[in-house]
Amino acid sequence: MDIPVSAWASDLFDDEKTAQLVRDRIGQALVDMQANAQASHLEADVSSTQVHGVARYRGAYERVSAALENIPGAELVKPNGFQFELVRVGNALLYPFCFSKKDSSVRTAKIQNVWSVIRELFAFAPPSQQADIFGEYEFDPSSVELGPKLAALPKDTRLVLIPFACNAAGLLKPYWGVAALANDSGSLDWIIDPEPLPLPAAPTLKLGIPQQKTNHSGFDEGEQPLVALAPRPNADRKLDVTPTTEAPPAKPLVNEDDEN
């Protein structure tokens, strides 16, 4: 049975049908990401989980982008200084990230490295509602200077986070929701409660078939080879000698001296 999407998602993605399509494709993309990362780890046959980590890190962006890019109205956005493309659908700019390698509460999720691009992304998030002990807010979205790529987005764009817990053993807890960046330590203030993402039962089947050429002809459609014909000598024609098509059989030698 389909799980209905929340009202906030329907509003951000323009309608309920698009919101459900985006949500389902994100879930499939994360399952595919984990399957690819696990396959890379097994193929590497090493004790370290570094291979899984690299494949998971890149796959989180690449699989989500690939899954959503053909939705009507979707736009790929590559922030200045960032190596991956993010997807904007409706008014939502989607940002996936791994918040833990353990089965942890999403309420403890933090952004591990609050660098310039992260600050730009959170300029599209609401301001934090959590003031510090002095009654001030550490991060002010309105004070962030945007690079050209993000500055070109519509002003009503809203950052939607896709946090998930994941390790080499499995994809644990994927969510989506809207949060403010509370401080430069990466703490999040959830404005819209993070909701679990429903996941498909299996990853997308990938067939290991090499790309086939389709523009070459069949073996029986090629040009016929030219066979060179040797003309009969004029002497044979004048003597009316019957033409021969095979060389006469060689008489076996009794010993090596017979040849001489």
Side-chain angles (χ1 to χ4, degrees):
M1 183 177 67
D2 291 336
I3 302 174
V5 295
S6 299
W8 68 266
S10 297
D11 291 341
L12 279 179
F13 295 103
D14 295 333
D15 57 71
E16 182 179 357
K17 182 179 179 181
T18 302
Q20 187 164 6
L21 178 62
V22 170
R23 185 193 63 182
D24 293 345
R25 289 197 180 185
I26 291 174
Q28 184 68 68
L30 294 179
V31 169
D32 292 345
M33 169 210 71
Q34 174 65 0
N36 293 342
Q38 285 182 318
S40 299
H41 174 67
L42 293 174
E43 184 67 22
D45 194 21
V46 293
S47 58
S48 171
T49 58
Q50 267 188 326
V51 176
H52 174 274
V54 172
R56 186 267 307 157
Y57 174 72
R58 298 189 65 90
Y61 301 108
E62 294 176 357
R63 297 284 72 74
V64 169
S65 295
L68 302 179
E69 64 180 349
N70 63 350
I71 292 179
E75 175 188 3
L76 295 179
V77 180
K78 188 176 182 181
N80 295 87
F82 198 53
Q83 62 176 320
F84 301 107
E85 292 177 319
L86 304 179
V87 186
R88 183 180 184 271
V89 183
N91 292 329
L93 180 63
L94 299 160
Y95 179 67
F97 68 99
C98 181
F99 73 88
S100 177
K101 294 182 180 179
K102 301 178 181 179
D103 189 0
S104 305
S105 170
V106 70
R107 291 288 179 177
T108 66
K110 296 180 65 175
I111 303 297
Q112 298 300 319
N113 182 14
V114 182
W115 59 300
S116 58
V117 172
I118 295 299
R119 295 176 65 86
E120 289 185 46
L121 291 177
F122 276 93
F124 296 97
S128 176
Q129 300 175 352
Q130 298 178 356
D132 61 17
I133 59 175
F134 300 104
E136 299 176 351
Y137 298 100
E138 293 190 39
F139 178 77
D140 181 9
S142 63
S143 66
V144 178
E145 182 177 354
L146 298 176
K149 295 291 182 64
L150 293 180
L153 295 179
K155 299 301 182 183
D156 57 355
T157 299
R158 178 65 73 209
L159 181 67
V160 175
L161 301 180
I162 308 172
F164 58 91
C166 182
N167 56 40
L171 176 63
L172 303 174
K173 291 184 175 181
Y175 297 85
W176 71 347
V178 175
L181 183 63
N183 51 49
D184 284 337
S185 297
S187 299
L188 298 175
D189 178 14
W190 289 99
I191 309 302
I192 295 177
D193 288 338
E195 299 177 0
L197 287 173
L199 299 177
T204 303
L205 180 63
K206 295 180 66 176
L207 298 177
I209 301 177
Q211 184 176 0
Q212 303 294 310
K213 293 183 177 180
T214 58
N215 58 350
H216 59 75
S217 58
F219 75 94
D220 59 342
E221 298 175 2
E223 296 182 1
Q224 295 293 330
L226 297 177
V227 180
L229 299 178
R232 293 182 64 201
N234 289 332
D236 288 352
R237 294 185 180 184
K238 292 178 180 180
L239 296 174
D240 196 21
V241 177
T242 303
T244 58
T245 58
E246 297 182 3
K251 184 179 180 181
L253 301 179
V254 177
N255 56 59
E256 294 180 359
D257 295 335
D258 289 348
E259 189 174 5
N260 299 324

